[in-house]
Amino acid sequence: MPTAAGAPTPAQLSAIAALVESARPVSDELGGRFAEHGRELALVGGPVRDALLGRPSHDIDLTTDAVPQRVLELVDGWADSVWTVGIDFGTVGVRKKNLQLEITTYRSESYSPKSRKPDVAYGTDIEGDLLRRDFTVNAMAVRLPAGEFVDPFGGLADLRAGVLRTPGKPEDSFSDDPLRIMRAVRFAAQLGFDLAPEVADAARDMAERLTIVSAERVRDELTKLMLSPDPRRGLGLMVDLGIAPYVLPELPKLRLEIDEHHRHKDVYEHSLTVLDQAIELEHARGHEPDLVLRLAALLHDIGKPKTRAFEGAGRVTFHHHEVVGASMSRKRLTALRFPKDVVSDVSSLVALHLRFHGYGKGEWTDSAVRRYARDAGPLLERLHILTRADCTTRNRRKAAALARSYDDIERRIAALAEQEELDRIRPDLDGNEIQEILGLKPGPEIGKAYRYLLELRLENGPMEKEAATEALRAWAAEHLSS
């Protein structure tokens, strides 16, 4: 039972009742089914926490004293479908009508010093199960079908205080599953909570243990952090607690040493500010949280440490840092096992993020604007946001001038797109027509001719077929003569 300090308020009791109600027929039918056979069943973890916070939750996580084989027997004839992918870890998946739930046997799990997979042992009581959970705010439960609130470790009090604390010693918790170190900073970003001092100290001291956790599990936590309402909070904790070197080692390296003779913008703080501003623009433009955009905003300048050079009069340069940064982004995200399309899109945005700075006050020709849009392709809207977010100058006049210039380029792109469907630009003659006009079979010469016509289209806009044919023949006479 909860301590007095953690007693639910009437509003929170209503939230618990609403959670039980939302889980029907699980709460009544399945809870009753387990009780009839002398087994316990309880809602646990995130759904309980979110209900008490007034946050929406689409998960139904259940815990029980029944071992997995017994769970399968108890849901037989009740569940519409069952899956056993996680049964080795004590979890049975169940679907009932439109509800999808996971039922996990009371358990404890731990990592041996060099193992990447936990050893699982089943428990017999709910308090022991809650003790092995990551944080007290996730160690609360609601027994079914009675609806009794269970909070043996003061999770409700920590929820009210906005503090992440472990049910037992944090060193034991992080040793059992080092990924909880990443979960701590992720929940800080997701919920806006602080780490209890002892949790922060343990995370700092044990950060190296993350090296035994699979890249996929680390990636999943980093993804949730990046998609949270305040990723900067979690990323800052990763750097301050020494976690980042084992996840994103490039991030703390952005803290470049600056001396009085060679001044330049703090790249680390600049990158976090760009991320903040990209998120603001993401919201302002009506977009959902975008992992690709947010990763690109965070990583857009990671090539600067490798390209920094000192020149005369205290000048610092970072020539080609976008090229180097694109390569570094690809390497890091690949190592973290991000999907290939995410890796490709983020590295492309990093490579493109400086392109706009040649625009000046609108000196680009229409062909240059077309190339800008063509090179961005489906990433154009993200590039718009990233480029705007990359302006962190405190000089209001300069910031306003950059904003006007980018307003202008967006206007021109929209106008050109309306005129000629810019996102589907193709040469005025296709490959078959090129072969027929030049009397050639498929081969490298056709590719060269195609690229020539594409450049011609970008330079001049759409051409009539006769004009394109004449231009192609003239080009071929000069470049393809035997």
Side-chain angles (χ1 to χ4, degrees), residues 275-285:
L275 174 60
D276 285 342
Q277 294 184 167
I279 292 171
E280 290 175 7
L281 286 168
E282 183 185 77
H283 294 329
R285 292 187 173 215

Side-chain angles (χ1 to χ4, degrees), residues 13 35 41 57 132 168 217 243 254 265 356 358 400 430 458 465:
L13 287 171
L41 187 68
S57 177
R132 66 95 186 165
R217 295 185 74 212
I243 298 168
L254 294 176
K265 193 175 294 183
F356 162 73
D430 63 27
L458 289 166
K465 185 172 181 178

Side-chain angles (χ1 to χ4, degrees), residues 68 84-92 107 118-122:
T84 58
V85 174
I87 200 166
D88 289 344
F89 299 100
T91 299
V92 174
R107 66 187 186 185
D119 297 320
V120 176
Y122 298 134

